[in-house]
Amino acid sequence: MKKWISLLLVFNLLLLHFAQEMDSVKIENKRLEFQYKNLYFPVGLMIAGITTDGNGSGSIKNEIVKYRNEHLPGFQNRFDDYVQMFPFAAVYGFEWIGMKPRTDWKNRTAILIKGQLLNLGMVYLLKTTLNETRPDGTAYSFPSGHVANAFAGAAMLSIEYGENHRWVPYAAYGVAAGVGVMRIANNRHYISDVLFGAGLGILSMKVAYWTHQYQWNQHKSIKDPFLGSIY
């Protein structure tokens, strides 16, 4: 646990280092244009999740579980329950410390809600329809909701800040990948659950951006909590 706390402290110091000066330029709400090439990564992850979902004793997912049980027997940690929310917290927290986002807070919130309705709605539908057994014997394994949530947040964080801060996507997806590793280490999910959940989370949030009409906050008002201090 001390190692994790130390890593978090280092991460926060890096954030403060990269965001020392506050950008007061008005946020332009640039649309995220749809491009087919942006489907390759999330769809590829989802296909990988499906193809690794074999049930044979020698399948990839079962081999990984076997390796986990041999080297990490009894390992349990709830760190991933909390870390999955870090990217979403950073979507607003980064702006608070002075980093300029792509979208103003009202449209950003609308996109977040739409993306998560799609993301978590699909996770629930797939879990209850397929009802696959987890490695620990409990129900609702496929796909991983924690991972879908973490990667949806990472996608949003990367879209909002990645253009002006190139390090953000690496940090965001690194945290999300860590959640996936922890779900496997905790014996809660197979690699197939994690891969599909990651792709679903990214795709859901990108669909929310591609379809958003930016009707919110067309005129600035004094009710905007960031007005005057951030943009």
Side-chain angles (χ1 to χ4, degrees):
M1 182 59 70
K2 290 182 179 180
K3 291 182 179 180
W4 287 110
I5 294 173
S6 298
L7 287 173
L8 284 176
L9 289 174
V10 172
F11 182 68
N12 286 326
L13 288 173
L14 286 173
L15 296 186
L16 292 174
H17 172 74
F18 284 111
Q20 289 178 348
E21 296 183 1
M22 183 174 293
D23 191 344
S24 60
V25 179
K26 179 180 176 182
I27 295 174
E28 300 175 355
N29 284 339
K30 293 189 294 183
R31 291 183 62 87
L32 183 67
E33 298 295 334
F34 171 77
Q35 294 180 327
Y36 281 106
K37 65 180 182 180
N38 291 330
L39 292 172
Y40 298 160
F41 184 51
V43 172
L45 286 172
M46 294 168 74
I47 292 173
I50 294 172
T51 56
T52 56
D53 195 35
N55 291 316
S57 59
S59 64
I60 294 175
K61 73 174 192 179
N62 287 324
E63 284 295 319
I64 292 175
V65 170
K66 181 180 177 181
Y67 182 87
R68 178 265 175 200
N69 292 338
E70 290 176 353
H71 294 84
L72 295 172
F75 177 84
Q76 291 293 326
N77 193 302
R78 298 197 61 185
F79 196 66
D80 47 344
D81 290 339
Y82 308 105
V83 176
Q84 63 170 318
M85 300 306 300
F86 280 13
F88 285 118
V91 165
Y92 297 96
F94 280 6
E95 182 181 17
W96 184 74
I97 63 175
M99 295 167 64
K100 181 184 175 183
R102 183 188 188 97
T103 313
D104 70 78
W105 76 276
K106 288 186 178 180
N107 283 288
R108 200 184 325 151
T109 302
I111 292 170
L112 188 155
I113 293 172
K114 290 192 293 184
Q116 282 296 79
L117 284 174
L118 177 60
N119 181 36
L120 300 181
M122 288 300 299
V123 167
Y124 177 80
L125 180 63
L126 289 168
K127 279 182 178 290
T128 54
T129 301
L130 299 174
N131 193 19
E132 292 196 9
T133 304
R134 297 175 188 264
D136 63 1
T138 57
Y140 307 126
S141 181
F142 187 91
S144 170
H146 281 65
V147 174
N149 200 38
F151 273 87
M156 186 172 197
L157 192 59
S158 299
I159 292 169
E160 288 294 332
Y161 298 98
E163 184 176 351
N164 295 322
H165 306 278
R166 298 298 179 87
W167 59 272
V168 169
Y170 298 100
Y173 284 114
V175 169
V179 173
V181 171
M182 289 297 294
R183 295 309 283 168
I184 295 173
N186 279 322
N187 208 32
R188 296 291 289 166
H189 282 289
Y190 295 103
I191 184 65
S192 53
D193 308 337
V194 168
L195 291 172
F196 191 92
L200 178 60
I202 296 170
L203 184 60
S204 297
M205 197 54 67
K206 287 192 174 183
V207 168
Y209 273 95
W210 290 331
T211 58
H212 190 63
Q213 298 301 310
Y214 294 89
Q215 297 299 313
W216 296 87
N217 208 29
Q218 291 185 344
H219 301 285
K220 300 294 180 183
S221 73
I222 58 174
K223 295 181 179 180
D224 187 336
F226 298 111
L227 183 64
S229 61
I230 301 299
Y231 54 84

